[in-house]
């Protein structure tokens, strides 16, 4: 529950603080005193977007602090506090704070730790339920009526809705993949034809890795064949003395002969300096011999004439054609061929893939139809109970003969709807909320034709429908704080008294905080806070005062007819308060 709140720099409130207790608390005051700012401060603690325009003129920042007493058994709140590193006070209370700068920038704190605004909202969501003046208008929207029914449906509806959401996600993915594959079938066929042509062209040439570089070197060599042969042969003769590769006899002096003579001469001397040269000569002989063998091999590998060059150039032209089309070099062409082969295999399997996608889409559709049907059934079952309970509540709110209806009807769609679903022969829109539309109807009195509340309910009736609905949705469990901002708008007379009685009854299981202009409602409160205002230095300043019995009499008299200082007004207020106390005691 909310124990206290401190507000500074928010709207007309310069500095104010208020304590809240169990039961039913009302906030009253003259128009413009700042009652709405109190509700706004609770909205800020609930994590709604901060508005810099709400910051009091001349103040840099608005600040709201709330102290909440926690239920030790509330594991959800405990998990939020633990994850945020927030600390409870010794008395099991936690302070939540929110500040908003005039520039709109916001900060949040929870249990002494700075936290994101979203975390603050998660913490207060399970503790605060705030019903503002706009909730009546939201109740007119079908999606909010559906949400209200789902809340009332509890675990059965929640379970069915979760299953529907999972089935719908799988269905949308399967259907979208199938449609995409079908849309791309023509492009895929064209791509397959291009790949087959390219692979046939590359296969006809059948290149090998590095072949383009090898051919380039061969072309350079064959381009001046005789000059190359002459150089190689001359070098070979100089080293080995063999003019003809088949002749083992030396035709001329060679480097090998000369080095052999040097070695022989060095072997005949006893001079140490000369003998030390012998190993180096041996090394030179070995090196010259190796070079001679390589030159011989090179000469043997040369073609007999330049006609070989034409064959090499023709092959090189084939490779260059592939390189021009597919990659910077032959290794790249080979890599492209391998990728194209894999891609073609995927495309060739497209018919199989489409069949598999069609099967998957059909299975997903069947699963979604089953889930949607189950969700509709769960909602339909809950709708009858919700209508009965709200109707019963309306009887206690001076709408004795009124009857609320809750209809769950198919959300029909056309074939052009990309999210249409065939359920029991009807084509329905499979939206994120299901295939149903939920519609609240109201017959305001006996014999009246039930009509949608958007057409049949007056402002006062809509206020009571919303209150009755919230009472039913709140359930018997205690612990939460329910805040109503002028839920009695458009109501007066006996209906206002009945609303006061119902709020008092609700306060037996919940902490109830109500902003009201009606004395009939305020009279039923257990605690009464007055939002006062004063003007100084051309600025309006609000204050919050807890009223005692005499203060309540004066405020009720003012609310009745502005007669707070008259004996008649006070007498009327005392009678109203006494009557309320009596009815609370006997209820």
């Amino acid at each position: 529950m909310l124990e206290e709140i401190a507000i500074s720099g928010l709207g007309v409130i310069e500095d104010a603080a208020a304590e809240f207790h169990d039961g039913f608390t009302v906030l009253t005051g003259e128009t413009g005193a700042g009652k709405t700012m109190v509700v706004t401060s609770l909205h800020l603690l609930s994590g709604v977007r901060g508005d810099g325009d709400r910051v009091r003129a001349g103040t840099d920042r608005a600040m709201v602090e709330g102290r909440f007493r926690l239920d030790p058994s509330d594991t959800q709140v405990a998990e939020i506090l633990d994850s945020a590193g927030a600390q409870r006070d010794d008395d099991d209370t936690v302070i939540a704070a929110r500040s908003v700068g005039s520039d709109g920038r916001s900060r949040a704190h929870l249990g002494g730790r700075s936290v994101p605004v979203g975390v603050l909202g998660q913490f207060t969501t399970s503790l605060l339920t705030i019903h503002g003046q706009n909730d009546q208008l939201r109740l007119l929207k079908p999606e909010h009526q559906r949400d209200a029914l789902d809340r009332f449906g509890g675990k059965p509806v929640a379970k069915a809705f979760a299953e529907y959401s999972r089935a719908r996600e799988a269905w949308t993915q399967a259907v979208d993949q199938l449609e995409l594959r079908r849309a791309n079938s023509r492009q895929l066929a064209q791509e397959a034809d291009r790949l087959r042509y390219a692979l046939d062209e590359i296969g006809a040439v059948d290149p090998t890795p590095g072949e383009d570089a090898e051919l380039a070197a061969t072309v350079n060599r064959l381009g001046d064949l005789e000059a190359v042969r002459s150089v190689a042969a001359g070098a070979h003769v100089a080293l080995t003395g063999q003019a003809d590769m088949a002749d083992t006899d030396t035709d001329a002096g060679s480097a090998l002969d000369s080095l052999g003579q040097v070695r022989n001469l060095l072997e005949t001397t006893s001079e140490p300096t000369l003998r030390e040269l012998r190993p180096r000569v041996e090394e030179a002989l070995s090196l010259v011999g190796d070079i001679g063998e390589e030159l011989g091999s090179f000469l043997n590998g040369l073609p007999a004439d330049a006609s070989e060059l034409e064959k090499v150039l023709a092959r090189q032209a084939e490779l260059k054609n592939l390189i021009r089309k597919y990659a910077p070099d032959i290794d790249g062409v080979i890599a492209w061929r391998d990728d194209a082969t894999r891609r073609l295999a995927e495309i060739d399997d497209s018919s199989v893939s489409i069949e598999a996608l069609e099967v998957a889409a059909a299975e997903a559709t069947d699963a979604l139809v089953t889930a949607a049907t189950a969700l509709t059934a769960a909602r339909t079952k809950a709708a009858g109970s919700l209508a009965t309970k709200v109707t019963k509540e309306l009887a206690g709110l001076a709408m004795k003969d009124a009857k609320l209806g809750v209809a769950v009807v198919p959300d029909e769609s056309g074939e052009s709807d990309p999210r249409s679903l065939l359920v029991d022969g009807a084509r329905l829109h499979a939206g994120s909320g299901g295939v149903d539309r939920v519609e609240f109807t109201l017959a305001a009195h006996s014999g009246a034709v039930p009509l949608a509340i958007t057409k049949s309910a007056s402002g006062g009736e809509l206020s009571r429908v919303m209150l009755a609905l919230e009472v039913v949705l709140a359930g018997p469990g205690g612990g939460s704080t329910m805040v109503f901002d002028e839920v009695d708008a458009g109501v007066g007379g006996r209906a206002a008294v009945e609303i006061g009685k119902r709020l008092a009854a609700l306060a037996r299981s919940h902490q109830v905080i109500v902003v009201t202009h009606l004395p009939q409602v305020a009279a039923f409160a257990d605690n009464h806070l007055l939002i006062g205002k004063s003007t100084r230095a051309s600025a309006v300043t609000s204050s919050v005062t807890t009223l005692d019995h005499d203060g309540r009499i004066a405020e009720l008299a003012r609310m009745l007819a502005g007669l707070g200082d008259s004996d008649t007004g006070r007498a009327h207020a005392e009678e109203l308060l006494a009557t309320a106390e009596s009815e609370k005691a006997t209820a």
Side-chain angles (χ1 to χ4, degrees):
M1 61 171 284
L2 177 65
E3 286 199 342
E4 58 182 307
I5 190 171
I7 309 168
S8 63
L10 183 64
V12 296
I13 299 178
E14 183 176 8
D15 281 294
E19 293 185 359
F20 296 93
H21 303 279
D22 291 334
F24 180 14
T25 299
V26 292
L27 285 76
T28 64
E30 296 181 4
T31 300
K35 299 185 297 298
T36 301
M37 287 299 102
V38 176
V39 178
T40 298
S41 68
L42 295 177
H43 275 299
L44 289 175
L45 290 181
S46 297
V48 301
R49 181 179 178 274
D51 188 351
D53 294 338
R54 294 286 191 177
V55 178
R56 182 177 173 83
T59 303
D60 294 334
R61 182 171 296 275
M63 174 68 74
V64 180
E65 289 186 358
R67 180 181 291 275
F68 294 87
R69 179 168 297 281
L70 306 181
D71 181 354
S73 63
D74 192 334
T75 57
Q76 180 181 358
V77 170
E79 289 177 1
I80 295 173
L81 294 177
D82 290 342
S83 63
Q87 299 294 323
R88 303 183 188 215
D89 289 344
D90 294 338
D91 58 353
D92 258 340
T93 63
V94 171
I95 294 179
R98 177 86 180 276
S99 63
V100 179
S102 56
D103 57 359
R105 295 185 178 181
S106 175
R107 293 182 179 179
H109 291 80
L110 180 63
R113 298 295 297 271
S114 178
V115 296
V117 172
V119 173
L120 182 65
Q122 292 175 8
F123 169 76
T124 53
T125 295
S126 61
L127 303 176
L128 277 177
T129 304
I130 303 174
H131 306 283
Q133 299 177 43
N134 292 330
D135 284 333
Q136 297 179 25
L137 299 178
R138 287 198 294 269
L139 185 60
L140 299 176
K141 297 181 179 179
E143 61 269 26
H144 288 281
Q145 295 177 18
R146 185 185 63 207
D147 291 344
L149 175 60
D150 287 354
R151 285 171 55 195
F152 176 79
K155 291 183 178 180
V157 173
K159 182 179 179 181
F161 183 77
E163 183 58 35
Y164 171 84
S165 298
R166 288 191 293 269
R168 183 178 183 273
E169 182 178 1
W171 174 70
T172 55
Q173 290 179 354
V175 170
D176 289 347
Q177 288 177 2
L178 177 59
E179 291 302 317
L180 180 62
R181 178 57 62 88
R182 285 173 173 170
N184 291 340
S185 59
R186 180 178 300 175
Q187 291 85 343
L188 290 174
Q190 294 173 352
E191 182 185 358
D193 286 343
R194 291 193 297 268
L195 290 175
R196 290 191 186 97
Y197 176 84
L199 289 173
D200 289 344
E201 185 177 32
I202 296 173
V205 177
D206 193 22
T208 58
E211 185 179 359
D212 52 341
E214 294 176 2
L215 288 180
T218 302
V219 168
N220 289 334
R221 187 165 62 246
L222 295 179
D224 195 6
L225 178 61
E226 294 306 321
V228 171
R229 192 193 307 275
S230 176
V231 171
H236 186 265
V237 169
L239 289 179
T240 66
Q242 295 178 354
D244 185 348
M245 295 300 299
D247 186 7
T248 58
D249 297 329
T250 58
D251 297 328
S254 67
L256 285 174
D257 291 339
S258 299
L259 288 172
Q261 293 175 8
V262 172
R263 178 188 61 187
N264 294 335
L265 289 172
L266 292 178
E267 287 179 346
T268 63
T269 183
S270 60
E271 172 59 39
T273 301
L274 295 178
R275 293 185 67 85
E276 289 178 356
L277 295 175
R278 186 176 177 278
R280 295 166 63 185
V281 174
E282 292 281 2
E283 183 179 352
L285 275 168
S286 176
L287 179 60
V288 171
D290 290 343
I291 295 174
E293 289 181 3
E294 291 184 16
L295 286 170
S297 296
F298 179 79
L299 286 167
N300 288 332
L302 288 176
D305 54 50
S307 62
E308 183 71 17
L309 178 60
E310 295 181 2
K311 298 179 181 178
V312 174
L313 289 175
R315 178 64 176 176
Q316 189 179 50
E318 292 179 335
L319 297 183
K320 285 183 176 180
N321 182 53
L322 298 181
I323 291 172
R324 179 176 58 84
K325 292 182 178 181
Y326 303 111
D329 53 35
I330 284 300
D331 289 348
V333 171
I334 294 173
W336 188 93
R337 178 196 64 191
D338 295 341
D339 291 340
T341 301
R342 286 190 291 270
R343 174 60 179 160
L344 184 59
E346 294 175 358
I347 296 176
D348 287 341
D349 194 42
S350 60
S351 60
V352 178
S353 298
I354 289 180
E355 292 177 359
L357 288 175
E358 288 175 341
V359 171
E363 292 176 349
T365 300
D366 291 342
L368 183 60
V369 169
T370 300
T373 303
L375 177 57
T376 300
R379 283 173 171 165
T380 302
K381 182 178 181 180
S385 179
L386 176 61
T388 299
K389 292 186 176 182
V390 173
T391 297
K392 182 179 179 181
E393 286 294 331
L394 289 175
L397 293 172
M399 294 179 68
K400 182 178 180 181
D401 296 325
K403 184 176 181 181
L404 183 81
V406 181
V408 180
V409 297
D411 188 7
E412 298 181 355
S413 70
E415 293 186 2
S416 60
D417 182 0
R419 291 292 181 253
S420 66
L421 185 70
L422 200 61
V423 181
D424 294 334
R427 189 167 295 279
L428 310 179
H429 175 68
S432 58
V435 298
D436 313 308
R437 286 188 301 107
V438 175
E439 185 178 83
F440 288 2
T441 60
L442 179 68
H445 54 81
S446 179
V449 177
L451 296 173
I453 60 174
T454 56
K455 301 177 181 179
S456 61
S458 65
E461 290 169 342
L462 191 59
S463 296
R464 282 176 279 176
V465 169
M466 191 195 76
L467 177 59
L469 181 63
E470 291 300 336
V471 168
V472 170
L473 293 178
S480 64
T481 298
M482 304 185 69
V483 182
F484 296 93
D485 184 13
E486 299 190 16
V487 69
D488 47 21
V491 177
R494 183 61 190 174
V497 173
E498 295 301 329
I499 288 178
K501 289 173 61 176
R502 196 61 195 89
L503 290 170
L506 182 62
R508 294 171 185 167
S509 57
H510 296 76
Q511 184 186 34
V512 177
I513 301 172
V514 177
V515 176
T516 183
H517 285 291
L518 296 181
Q520 297 95 326
V521 173
F524 281 88
D526 302 310
N527 313 289
H528 195 147
L529 300 179
L530 174 64
I531 312 298
K533 69 175 182 179
S534 60
T535 304
R536 62 174 186 267
S538 300
V540 176
T541 301
S542 294
S543 60
V544 181
T545 304
T546 301
L547 300 180
D548 57 15
H549 181 78
D550 289 340
R552 294 190 68 186
I553 295 298
E555 174 62 6
L556 290 175
R558 181 199 66 78
M559 296 173 70
L560 283 165
L563 302 175
D565 294 332
S566 70
D567 292 339
T568 302
R570 293 182 65 85
H572 192 178
E574 287 178 351
E575 180 183 2
L576 179 62
L577 186 59
T579 301
E581 294 293 340
S582 175
E583 294 203 20
K584 284 167 58 178
T586 57

